[in-house]
Short mmCIF file of all heavy atoms in Angstrom, two decimals:
data_model
loop_
_atom_site.label_atom_id
_atom_site.label_comp_id
_atom_site.label_asym_id
_atom_site.label_seq_id
_atom_site.Cartn_x
_atom_site.Cartn_y
_atom_site.Cartn_z
N PHE A 313 -51.94 226.33 -139.31
CA PHE A 313 -51.51 226.54 -140.71
C PHE A 313 -50.57 225.40 -141.14
O PHE A 313 -50.68 224.88 -142.25
CB PHE A 313 -50.83 227.89 -140.84
CG PHE A 313 -50.48 228.25 -142.26
CD1 PHE A 313 -51.50 228.54 -143.19
CD2 PHE A 313 -49.18 228.31 -142.70
CE1 PHE A 313 -51.17 228.86 -144.49
CE2 PHE A 313 -48.84 228.66 -143.98
CZ PHE A 313 -49.85 228.92 -144.91
N LYS A 318 -54.42 224.43 -146.50
CA LYS A 318 -55.55 224.67 -147.40
C LYS A 318 -56.81 225.06 -146.62
O LYS A 318 -57.55 225.97 -147.06
CB LYS A 318 -55.87 223.38 -148.22
CG LYS A 318 -54.83 223.17 -149.29
CD LYS A 318 -55.25 222.14 -150.31
CE LYS A 318 -54.19 222.19 -151.43
NZ LYS A 318 -54.35 221.13 -152.39
N TRP A 321 -56.44 228.65 -145.69
CA TRP A 321 -56.66 229.58 -146.83
C TRP A 321 -58.15 229.59 -147.22
O TRP A 321 -58.65 230.63 -147.69
CB TRP A 321 -55.78 229.23 -148.01
CG TRP A 321 -54.47 229.99 -147.95
CD1 TRP A 321 -53.22 229.50 -147.77
CD2 TRP A 321 -54.32 231.40 -148.05
NE1 TRP A 321 -52.27 230.49 -147.73
CE2 TRP A 321 -52.94 231.70 -147.90
CE3 TRP A 321 -55.18 232.49 -148.23
CZ2 TRP A 321 -52.43 232.98 -147.96
CZ3 TRP A 321 -54.67 233.79 -148.27
CH2 TRP A 321 -53.31 234.03 -148.16
N THR A 383 -50.23 239.47 -147.98
CA THR A 383 -49.67 238.12 -147.79
C THR A 383 -48.22 238.25 -147.32
O THR A 383 -47.58 239.28 -147.54
CB THR A 383 -49.67 237.30 -149.13
OG1 THR A 383 -48.94 238.07 -150.10
CG2 THR A 383 -51.08 237.05 -149.60
N LEU A 384 -47.73 237.19 -146.68
CA LEU A 384 -46.34 237.14 -146.23
C LEU A 384 -45.74 235.85 -146.76
O LEU A 384 -46.35 234.77 -146.62
CB LEU A 384 -46.35 237.15 -144.68
CG LEU A 384 -45.03 236.77 -143.98
CD1 LEU A 384 -43.94 237.80 -144.27
CD2 LEU A 384 -45.27 236.69 -142.46
N CYS A 385 -44.56 235.97 -147.41
CA CYS A 385 -43.93 234.77 -147.98
C CYS A 385 -43.08 234.08 -146.91
O CYS A 385 -42.26 234.70 -146.25
CB CYS A 385 -43.04 235.15 -149.18
SG CYS A 385 -42.12 233.74 -149.80
N LEU A 386 -43.29 232.78 -146.76
CA LEU A 386 -42.54 232.05 -145.73
C LEU A 386 -41.11 231.81 -146.14
O LEU A 386 -40.28 231.38 -145.31
CB LEU A 386 -43.25 230.70 -145.46
CG LEU A 386 -44.65 230.85 -144.83
CD1 LEU A 386 -45.28 229.49 -144.67
CD2 LEU A 386 -44.55 231.55 -143.47
N LYS A 387 -40.78 232.00 -147.46
CA LYS A 387 -39.42 231.75 -147.92
C LYS A 387 -38.60 233.05 -147.95
O LYS A 387 -37.52 233.15 -147.38
CB LYS A 387 -39.46 231.14 -149.30
CG LYS A 387 -38.17 230.58 -149.79
CD LYS A 387 -38.42 229.73 -151.03
CE LYS A 387 -37.13 229.43 -151.78
NZ LYS A 387 -37.47 228.88 -153.10
N CYS A 388 -39.14 234.11 -148.62
CA CYS A 388 -38.34 235.32 -148.77
C CYS A 388 -38.80 236.48 -147.87
O CYS A 388 -38.24 237.57 -147.92
CB CYS A 388 -38.33 235.78 -150.23
SG CYS A 388 -39.88 236.48 -150.81
N GLU A 390 -41.20 238.41 -148.03
CA GLU A 390 -41.80 239.60 -148.66
C GLU A 390 -43.27 239.74 -148.26
O GLU A 390 -44.02 238.75 -148.25
CB GLU A 390 -41.70 239.50 -150.20
CG GLU A 390 -42.09 240.78 -150.89
CD GLU A 390 -41.91 240.68 -152.41
OE1 GLU A 390 -40.73 240.63 -152.86
OE2 GLU A 390 -42.90 240.63 -153.13
N GLN A 392 -46.73 241.49 -149.32
CA GLN A 392 -47.34 242.10 -150.54
C GLN A 392 -48.79 242.47 -150.28
O GLN A 392 -49.50 241.72 -149.62
CB GLN A 392 -47.36 241.07 -151.69
CG GLN A 392 -46.07 241.03 -152.44
CD GLN A 392 -46.27 240.17 -153.69
OE1 GLN A 392 -47.37 239.89 -154.16
NE2 GLN A 392 -45.14 239.72 -154.23
N ARG A 394 -52.21 242.37 -151.69
CA ARG A 394 -52.85 241.60 -152.75
C ARG A 394 -54.30 241.96 -152.92
O ARG A 394 -55.03 241.26 -153.60
CB ARG A 394 -52.70 240.08 -152.44
CG ARG A 394 -51.32 239.57 -152.24
CD ARG A 394 -50.54 239.63 -153.53
NE ARG A 394 -51.09 238.74 -154.52
CZ ARG A 394 -50.68 237.52 -154.77
NH1 ARG A 394 -49.67 237.03 -154.10
NH2 ARG A 394 -51.25 236.78 -155.68
N PRO A 398 -59.67 236.74 -155.24
CA PRO A 398 -59.41 235.34 -154.86
C PRO A 398 -57.93 234.98 -155.01
O PRO A 398 -57.29 235.37 -155.99
CB PRO A 398 -60.27 234.53 -155.83
CG PRO A 398 -61.10 235.50 -156.60
CD PRO A 398 -60.58 236.87 -156.40
N LEU A 399 -57.38 234.21 -154.07
CA LEU A 399 -55.98 233.75 -154.11
C LEU A 399 -55.87 232.25 -154.19
O LEU A 399 -54.78 231.72 -154.25
CB LEU A 399 -55.23 234.26 -152.87
CG LEU A 399 -54.99 235.78 -152.75
CD1 LEU A 399 -54.33 236.09 -151.41
CD2 LEU A 399 -54.15 236.28 -153.88
N GLY A 400 -57.03 231.57 -154.12
CA GLY A 400 -57.01 230.09 -154.13
C GLY A 400 -56.60 229.56 -152.77
O GLY A 400 -56.46 230.33 -151.80
N ASP A 401 -56.44 228.21 -152.67
CA ASP A 401 -56.16 227.65 -151.36
C ASP A 401 -54.72 227.19 -151.19
O ASP A 401 -54.40 226.52 -150.20
CB ASP A 401 -57.18 226.57 -150.97
CG ASP A 401 -57.18 225.41 -151.95
OD1 ASP A 401 -56.25 225.35 -152.80
OD2 ASP A 401 -58.09 224.58 -151.87
N ALA A 402 -53.84 227.56 -152.13
CA ALA A 402 -52.41 227.27 -151.96
C ALA A 402 -51.56 228.29 -152.69
O ALA A 402 -50.77 227.97 -153.56
CB ALA A 402 -52.09 225.85 -152.51
N PRO A 403 -51.75 229.57 -152.34
CA PRO A 403 -51.05 230.63 -153.11
C PRO A 403 -49.54 230.59 -152.90
O PRO A 403 -49.07 230.23 -151.82
CB PRO A 403 -51.63 231.92 -152.56
CG PRO A 403 -52.20 231.58 -151.23
CD PRO A 403 -52.60 230.14 -151.28
N GLU A 404 -48.82 230.91 -153.96
CA GLU A 404 -47.36 230.90 -153.92
C GLU A 404 -46.81 232.30 -154.26
O GLU A 404 -47.39 233.02 -155.04
CB GLU A 404 -46.82 229.91 -154.93
CG GLU A 404 -46.94 228.47 -154.43
CD GLU A 404 -46.24 227.47 -155.33
OE1 GLU A 404 -45.60 227.92 -156.34
OE2 GLU A 404 -46.32 226.27 -155.03
N CYS A 405 -45.63 232.58 -153.74
CA CYS A 405 -44.89 233.81 -154.00
C CYS A 405 -44.19 233.69 -155.37
O CYS A 405 -43.99 232.57 -155.86
CB CYS A 405 -43.86 234.00 -152.92
SG CYS A 405 -42.84 235.44 -153.04
N HIS A 406 -43.75 234.83 -155.92
CA HIS A 406 -42.98 234.77 -157.18
C HIS A 406 -41.68 233.98 -156.98
O HIS A 406 -41.11 233.45 -157.95
CB HIS A 406 -42.69 236.17 -157.71
CG HIS A 406 -42.03 237.05 -156.69
ND1 HIS A 406 -40.70 236.97 -156.38
CD2 HIS A 406 -42.54 238.01 -155.89
CE1 HIS A 406 -40.43 237.85 -155.45
NE2 HIS A 406 -41.52 238.51 -155.13
N CYS A 407 -41.21 233.84 -155.74
CA CYS A 407 -39.96 233.12 -155.47
C CYS A 407 -40.21 231.63 -155.32
O CYS A 407 -39.32 230.85 -155.11
CB CYS A 407 -39.28 233.64 -154.22
SG CYS A 407 -40.03 233.09 -152.66
N GLY A 408 -41.50 231.25 -155.40
CA GLY A 408 -41.82 229.83 -155.26
C GLY A 408 -42.19 229.44 -153.84
O GLY A 408 -42.64 228.31 -153.58
N GLY A 409 -42.01 230.36 -152.90
CA GLY A 409 -42.32 230.08 -151.49
C GLY A 409 -43.80 230.04 -151.23
O GLY A 409 -44.60 230.58 -152.00
N ARG A 410 -44.15 229.42 -150.14
CA ARG A 410 -45.56 229.35 -149.70
C ARG A 410 -45.98 230.68 -149.05
O ARG A 410 -45.20 231.23 -148.27
CB ARG A 410 -45.72 228.20 -148.72
CG ARG A 410 -47.08 228.06 -148.10
CD ARG A 410 -47.12 226.92 -147.15
NE ARG A 410 -47.15 225.65 -147.85
CZ ARG A 410 -47.21 224.46 -147.21
NH1 ARG A 410 -47.16 224.43 -145.89
NH2 ARG A 410 -47.26 223.36 -147.90
N LEU A 411 -47.18 231.15 -149.40
CA LEU A 411 -47.67 232.40 -148.79
C LEU A 411 -48.61 232.09 -147.63
O LEU A 411 -49.32 231.10 -147.68
CB LEU A 411 -48.44 233.22 -149.85
CG LEU A 411 -47.64 233.78 -151.02
CD1 LEU A 411 -48.61 234.52 -151.98
CD2 LEU A 411 -46.55 234.75 -150.54
N ARG A 412 -48.62 232.99 -146.67
CA ARG A 412 -49.59 232.95 -145.60
C ARG A 412 -50.22 234.34 -145.48
O ARG A 412 -49.67 235.32 -146.01
CB ARG A 412 -48.95 232.55 -144.27
CG ARG A 412 -47.84 233.46 -143.80
CD ARG A 412 -47.52 233.28 -142.32
NE ARG A 412 -48.44 234.06 -141.48
CZ ARG A 412 -48.39 234.08 -140.17
NH1 ARG A 412 -47.48 233.40 -139.52
NH2 ARG A 412 -49.25 234.83 -139.49
N PRO A 413 -51.39 234.43 -144.85
CA PRO A 413 -51.93 235.77 -144.60
C PRO A 413 -51.03 236.57 -143.67
O PRO A 413 -50.43 235.97 -142.75
CB PRO A 413 -53.29 235.46 -143.92
CG PRO A 413 -53.59 234.02 -144.20
CD PRO A 413 -52.25 233.35 -144.30
#
Side-chain angles (χ1 to χ4, degrees):
F313 187 68
K318 286 194 172 171
W321 269 114
T383 56
L384 166 65
C385 174
L386 294 177
K387 191 167 165 193
C388 72
E390 189 176 290
Q392 276 189 19
R394 303 292 297 264
L399 292 175
D401 59 13
E404 283 187 2
C405 179
H406 54 78
C407 78
R410 175 181 284 180
L411 294 177
R412 59 164 277 180

